[in-house]
Amino acid sequence: MGLDMYLNGNEYNSTLKKKEDGSYEEVDRLLLEDKYPIESVEVRLGYWRKHGDLHGMIVETFADGVDECQPIALSKDDLRLIIDAVNEDRLVKDNRGFFFGNSEENGYYSEEEKTETIKSFKLAIEFLEGKECLDYRSITYQASW
């Protein structure tokens, strides 16, 4: 029970793939077990447990303060803003409580944890910049509490 936080990447499995010259080519849709069409693939890029300050920053900045455990879409620019806030210790330290925990007490302000958090958001940027399916990728943050 409490705040679980997920940073996920999604890639829509389009039948159009972008070539290096910017044009597109038609390809077969990927299949699972050679018979089930794969519509999309979701990858886990980050996970935090009770990092209420990071959660609060994302909800306030990118969801207009609405916290209903909804998926929150994040762009590359959004991801860079989060990286800067973590790196510069600009997360507001007031998102605490029974469900949200205490980011400071949970060690999220240690250099090691800050590095791991930044690494997750950089990985998300790399995912969005992936060469083959750039137009079909997205990033979402979602919390459960």
Side-chain angles (χ1 to χ4, degrees), residues 78-142:
D78 298 340
L79 296 166
R80 288 184 186 104
L81 284 172
I82 296 167
I83 289 169
D84 290 345
V86 171
N87 196 38
E88 298 167 9
D89 287 324
R90 288 189 286 113
L91 298 178
V92 177
K93 298 177 182 176
D94 69 350
N95 296 289
R96 299 176 178 173
F98 178 72
F99 286 107
F100 290 84
N102 181 320
S103 295
E104 210 159 19
E105 288 177 9
N106 291 336
Y108 284 112
Y109 288 102
S110 72
E111 287 305 312
E112 182 180 334
E113 287 297 331
K114 281 174 51 177
T115 299
E116 286 302 309
T117 295
I118 290 168
K119 182 178 171 182
S120 292
F121 286 100
K122 284 183 176 180
L123 187 62
I125 292 171
E126 288 176 20
F127 179 81
L128 287 177
E129 293 176 341
K131 179 177 163 184
E132 200 171 305
C133 296
L134 180 63
D135 298 333
Y136 305 111
R137 289 184 174 183
S138 61
I139 299 292
T140 57
Y141 165 82
Q142 189 165 15

Side-chain angles (χ1 to χ4, degrees), residues 4-18:
D4 290 296
M5 306 159 54
Y6 305 93
L7 184 66
N8 295 321
N10 188 286
E11 179 174 303
Y12 171 69
N13 184 26
S14 174
T15 58
L16 292 177
K17 297 294 179 190
K18 195 173 200 176

Side-chain angles (χ1 to χ4, degrees), residues 34-93:
D34 294 326
K35 60 183 171 184
Y36 305 109
I38 298 173
E39 190 67 28
S40 67
V41 176
E42 185 173 73
V43 294
R44 176 74 32 88
L45 301 168
Y47 171 79
W48 300 267
R49 173 98 176 122
K50 294 192 174 189
H51 190 348
D53 297 340
L54 177 61
H55 173 74
M57 184 266 187
I58 293 171
V59 168
E60 289 300 318
T61 307
F62 307 110
D64 297 323
V66 177
D67 189 1
E68 297 175 346
C69 296
Q70 76 277 20
I72 300 170
L74 299 172
S75 69
K76 283 191 284 188
D77 289 338
D78 298 340
L79 296 166
R80 288 184 186 104
L81 284 172
I82 296 167
I83 289 169
D84 290 345
V86 171
N87 196 38
E88 298 167 9
D89 287 324
R90 288 189 286 113
L91 298 178
V92 177
K93 298 177 182 176

